[in-house]
Every structure is written in C-alpha cells, then in structure tokens.
Amino acid sequence: MELPRGMKDFEANENSNIEHVRNHFKKLSNLYGFSFMEPSVLESLSTLETKSGPAIRDEIYYFKDKGDREVALRFDFTMGLTRYATAQKSMKLPAKISAFGGVFRYDEPQKGRYRYFHQWDVEVYGKKTLESEAEIIELTSRLFDSLLLKDIVIDINHRNLVESYINKIFDITDSDKVTDILRAIDKIAKKSKDEILTEFTKKGYDTAKLEKILEFSQVKGTISEVEKIFDTTQLESWDELKQLFDSLENRGVSNVRINFGIVRGLDYYSGMVFEVFDKNSKLGALAGGGRYDTLTKAFGRDDIGATGVAGGVERIILTMQEQKIIPEILQNRVAVVYINEEMQKVAHSITSLLRLNNIPADIDLAGRNLKKQMDNAGTARYSIIVGPQELENGNVVLHDMKDGKEGTISLEKLTEDPNSVLNLEKL
C-alpha cells in the first residue's frame, strides 16, 4: 500500500511549518487589502489549456470524469483566479485577490517540490499600472522579512526589454524564434553555457549571436551598476524598470536588483517579471511573478490587465531550515495525570473542564502507570496530578514541567476559573 510517485503525507511538524507560513501570508495579504479566496481544485481541461494549448497536458493531472468531461487538477492559482476574475462583469477594479493551498504538477519530483505541494499567491486585476507591480513586489519582500529570512534578493526584468534585444541581435520578428531564444536564456540556471550553445547551434542559430544573448542574460545589479556596464539607452522598457525601482525605493524596498536573465514562464508573461532567491542557497527560485495581460485577453477580457506572484511553501520552509530559523511551535499545554485507576474519573472530568475553557489539555487513554504518564507529559507546560490524599482535602498537585516545582491547588478554584489559576496566556 504505497503512495503514487511524487505524493507524500504531511506529518504534524511539516503541517505546523506550512501553517506558520500560511498565517504570516494571510496576515500580510489582509494588511495589503487582498481578498482571500479558494479557487476550485478541479478545472475544465480547456480552461488550463487556454494559453499553453494541449502541450500543458504533459505537466498536469487530467482525466475524464463520470460524465465523460475532460477535467484537470489545478497546477497553480493564477489560472483559476484569472478565470474567476474575468467572469465577474461587475467586479470593482482594481481587484486584489490572494490564495493559499495545494497544487498538482506532473513533473519530476525534486528537493522541495513533490507532485503535490503548496503555494501562496496574490493577483491584481485592473488597469495596467507600475504601482500594481510595486505593490506585489513590496508584499513579497515583506513576507520574507516577516518569516525572518536573510539574504533574500528579488531579481527583476522586463519581457519586452529582453524580446526587443533578441530582435535586434538576431534581426528577427518571428515570435516562435524569439520564444526559442527566451528558452535558451531560461536554461542558463540549469545548464552550462557550452551545452546551451551546442543545443541551439544545432537548431540553426548563429553561435556568436547566441553568445551575445547569453552574455546579456548575465547582466545584473542596481540601476546605476547596470547603466555603467551596459548601454541601456537602446533598450526598450528600460525607463519602465527605472520607474518601478523608484517606486520600490519610495516604499522602502531595497532588496531588489536588475537581472536580464529572468524571463519566467514563456506562455504567461508580457511585461515586468521577477523571481526571489536566497543568495546563499542552491534551491532555486522561492517565488516568482510578473505581468500577464495576455492571459486575461485569452479569457476574452481585453479591458483587464493582470499582475501577480506565487511562492513555493515547501521550498521556503527548506530555506528556513537551511538558515536555522524554523520556529519551535510550542503550545502551553496541560497534562492531567492520575495516581491510580480510582483517580481516573476525576482526571477525565478535569481534562474536559480545561478544554471547555479553551485550555489545551491531554490525558492518557490507555490506563498506564504514573511514570509513563509523566514521561508522555514531557512537552506540556504543567501537569495536574490527581492523587487520593490531595483529593481527600479538595486539592490536586500542580507540577511545573520546566523547573520541576510543584504545589497543591484547590480543585474548587481550578474548576471555577482555570484560566486564572494556570495563567497560561502570560507565559
């Protein structure tokens, strides 16, 4: 009885880490005015094929349902949210929507990425403005700050800038050939320069021109640093990038830089694009996004632009583990233990009372001896020991599991106001 390849069970500690990221994300998305929603897990296959065509089938889970309809599991949130947004004819714009949850991709499992994994996502639908991009980049930067991650850099580029440079170097306007060269740039992070040159020279591309494009894709730095090493006056959309960086500086976002090698998903993006990295890690991009007006057009809405960002939760957690900043998620729990079988009924009654007062409480269900009960109570903040001698006097023993100190407390006081007696909230 094994799981299908690429799937996994999320155990308690992993789930706690995912919830930790989720809580930070939900808090921030609310602060920035994003409406949190859950798009459908199941989509019509035709919806997911809107932009990429049938080729997307190689990367997703799809099947026919019992009504012989072709359906598929969501592979990201952007498609579902865009389907939803473009269908809302009376939606107030700009519409800011966020989501968090599991997605499915039928690709090769790798470190930090199973075939089922979690993403956070924010999207802005409405008139095309640089401030929309600045808003989602600012939120992205703040999210990584709130998770206490260090050495995070957001690499930014513009698709039009890259495509126009390719047109200039190769003297081509054929969109398929431009897309092909974009693929060469996109492979820089995964393959060596020689491998890429060999692959694309075989396709008939000029080696010297390819080398020039690959050199171009290595340019990165601040606005002023890039302007010193590259003639940006001939680059289309360079002024747009400068305006975006001005806006980000005004918002107090400083961990950004230009990177001409960032092109993102070749089917989606049409304007500004960016990816997020830990400068000291080899895990790859932790998040990525940009403008994708072509997708809203594909859904029949020329009047709506769109920009967004999504992050891989498991990969972010791996980075937190690398940086040794995974929080120790501890609850101030109370363990109720009993000396013997006769005390068990009272102990269960106390446990139920604590839970009714929203105090996390545990009790042994197997009737084990006191020593084993105390061993299992090791993660609790306090243990309440129900013994015959103390109970005869209307008391129980309160044991501090941190320093080992203990004393008797009135059972009547404990039952009347357990929150005041235990005072867990102030610990």
Side-chain angles (χ1 to χ4, degrees):
M1 301 294 287
E2 293 181 354
L3 280 171
R5 186 165 185 264
M7 295 294 158
K8 69 167 292 178
D9 298 308
F10 293 88
E11 297 180 2
N13 64 326
E14 293 172 293
N15 219 35
S16 293
N17 292 334
I18 291 166
E19 280 302 303
H20 175 70
V21 177
R22 177 189 173 94
N23 291 338
H24 278 261
F25 171 73
K26 282 195 73 175
K27 182 180 177 182
L28 263 178
S29 65
N30 180 58
L31 281 173
Y32 279 74
F34 284 81
S35 299
F36 189 82
M37 70 171 281
E38 172 83 18
S40 174
V41 173
L42 196 66
E43 294 278 359
S44 296
L45 179 59
S46 57
T47 299
L48 301 190
E49 289 180 342
T50 301
K51 199 71 185 74
S52 303
I56 195 69
R57 296 183 183 211
D58 294 336
E59 302 168 26
I60 63 175
Y61 284 87
Y62 69 95
F63 49 93
K64 284 187 177 181
D65 67 10
K66 292 180 180 180
D68 208 34
R69 293 170 290 256
E70 288 190 315
V71 294
L73 297 173
R74 68 186 180 203
F75 65 86
D76 70 1
F77 286 105
T78 302
M79 292 298 291
L81 292 177
T82 304
R83 169 193 48 74
Y84 168 83
T86 53
Q88 309 303 307
K89 306 299 181 186
S90 58
M91 185 170 64
K92 187 179 176 182
L93 301 176
K96 298 164 69 175
I97 307 173
S98 65
F100 188 107
V103 295
F104 301 81
R105 292 198 190 165
Y106 197 81
D107 52 16
E108 197 60 28
Q110 55 186 285
K111 187 176 181 181
R113 172 73 67 83
Y114 284 81
R115 287 178 171 172
Y116 173 76
F117 58 97
H118 298 81
Q119 282 191 337
W120 55 264
D121 182 284
V122 294
E123 313 285 351
V124 179
Y125 298 98
K127 182 182 175 183
K128 180 181 177 180
T129 67
L130 278 174
E131 292 307 323
S132 296
E133 270 88 347
E135 181 98 332
I136 62 167
I137 292 171
E138 181 190 347
L139 184 150
T140 301
S141 180
R142 301 291 180 246
L143 176 60
F144 285 93
D145 285 346
S146 75
L147 294 169
L148 305 179
L149 283 158
K150 307 293 183 190
D151 299 315
I152 296 298
V153 62
I154 303 175
D155 281 346
I156 305 174
N157 199 9
H158 199 295
R159 281 290 290 268
N160 187 46
L161 181 147
V162 183
E163 289 175 20
S164 63
Y165 188 73
I166 291 170
N167 291 337
K168 180 183 172 185
I169 296 301
F170 280 90
D171 193 23
I172 54 172
T173 53
D174 185 319
S175 61
D176 289 338
K177 288 185 177 178
V178 171
T179 300
D180 219 17
I181 301 302
L182 285 170
R183 287 196 178 94
I185 294 172
D186 198 40
K187 289 183 177 186
I188 276 287
K190 304 157 196 163
K191 290 187 173 183
S192 71
K193 180 182 170 182
D194 287 341
E195 285 177 313
I196 296 167
L197 287 172
T198 301
E199 179 184 342
F200 283 83
T201 301
K202 284 179 181 176
K203 290 183 176 184
Y205 293 104
D206 183 276
T207 304
K209 290 177 180 179
L210 275 170
E211 283 190 340
K212 200 159 189 178
I213 291 292
L214 295 180
E215 270 178 43
F216 167 82
S217 72
Q218 297 301 299
V219 173
K220 55 177 73 89
T222 64
I223 294 285
S224 58
E225 285 170 347
V226 171
E227 287 180 336
K228 283 176 185 174
I229 60 174
F230 199 89
D231 181 10
T232 57
T233 58
Q234 303 302 312
L235 293 175
E236 290 184 27
S237 304
W238 178 251
D239 285 342
E240 269 189 69
L241 275 172
K242 289 177 75 171
Q243 288 167 32
L244 176 64
F245 273 67
D246 282 344
S247 177
L248 291 169
E249 185 179 356
N250 184 52
R251 292 163 176 259
V253 180
S254 58
N255 61 328
V256 290
R257 68 179 179 183
I258 299 291
N259 184 339
F260 288 162
I262 301 296
V263 292
R264 295 291 296 153
L266 303 173
D267 296 316
Y268 270 7
Y269 295 99
S270 55
M272 214 71 73
V273 285
F274 65 92
E275 290 185 348
V276 183
F277 299 92
D278 171 357
K279 288 187 280 190
N280 303 314
S281 175
K282 293 180 180 177
L283 277 175
L286 304 176
R291 178 156 292 280
Y292 56 95
D293 297 341
T294 54
L295 186 59
T296 49
K297 285 179 183 175
F299 277 100
R301 293 296 296 271
D302 290 355
D303 58 320
I304 295 180
T307 188
V309 57
V313 176
E314 283 84 345
R315 194 169 276 188
I316 288 169
I317 290 167
L318 277 174
T319 305
M320 293 171 74
Q321 288 170 341
E322 283 183 357
Q323 295 192 15
K324 297 181 169 52
I325 52 169
I326 281 288
E328 194 177 357
I329 300 167
L330 295 175
Q331 268 188 319
N332 286 320
R333 303 188 70 83
V334 176
V336 183
V337 302
Y338 42 90
I339 297 286
N340 54 39
E341 194 175 335
E342 288 73 28
M343 299 295 103
Q344 196 171 356
K345 188 174 181 181
V346 177
H348 277 288
S349 177
I350 292 170
T351 305
S352 295
L353 177 86
L354 293 175
R355 290 167 178 168
L356 281 169
N357 283 272
N358 295 314
I359 296 171
D362 301 302
I363 188 168
D364 178 73
L365 301 176
R368 284 174 284 207
N369 63 41
L370 181 63
K371 183 180 182 304
K372 286 188 176 176
Q373 289 180 63
M374 289 300 286
D375 287 343
N376 287 338
T379 57
R381 181 64 185 84
Y382 289 116
S383 60
I384 292 172
I385 305 169
V386 184
Q389 290 182 353
E390 291 81 10
L391 194 60
E392 196 173 320
N393 296 315
N395 297 322
V396 290
V397 174
L398 183 65
H399 181 92
D400 190 318
M401 299 298 286
K402 273 192 174 178
D403 59 21
K405 292 178 182 176
E406 62 181 35
T408 57
I409 56 171
S410 163
L411 184 57
E412 185 180 355
K413 284 185 180 178
L414 179 66
T415 54
E416 281 178 0
D417 192 1
N419 283 297
S420 294
V421 173
L422 297 170
N423 206 17
L424 289 171
E425 289 182 5
K426 292 186 179 179
L427 294 173

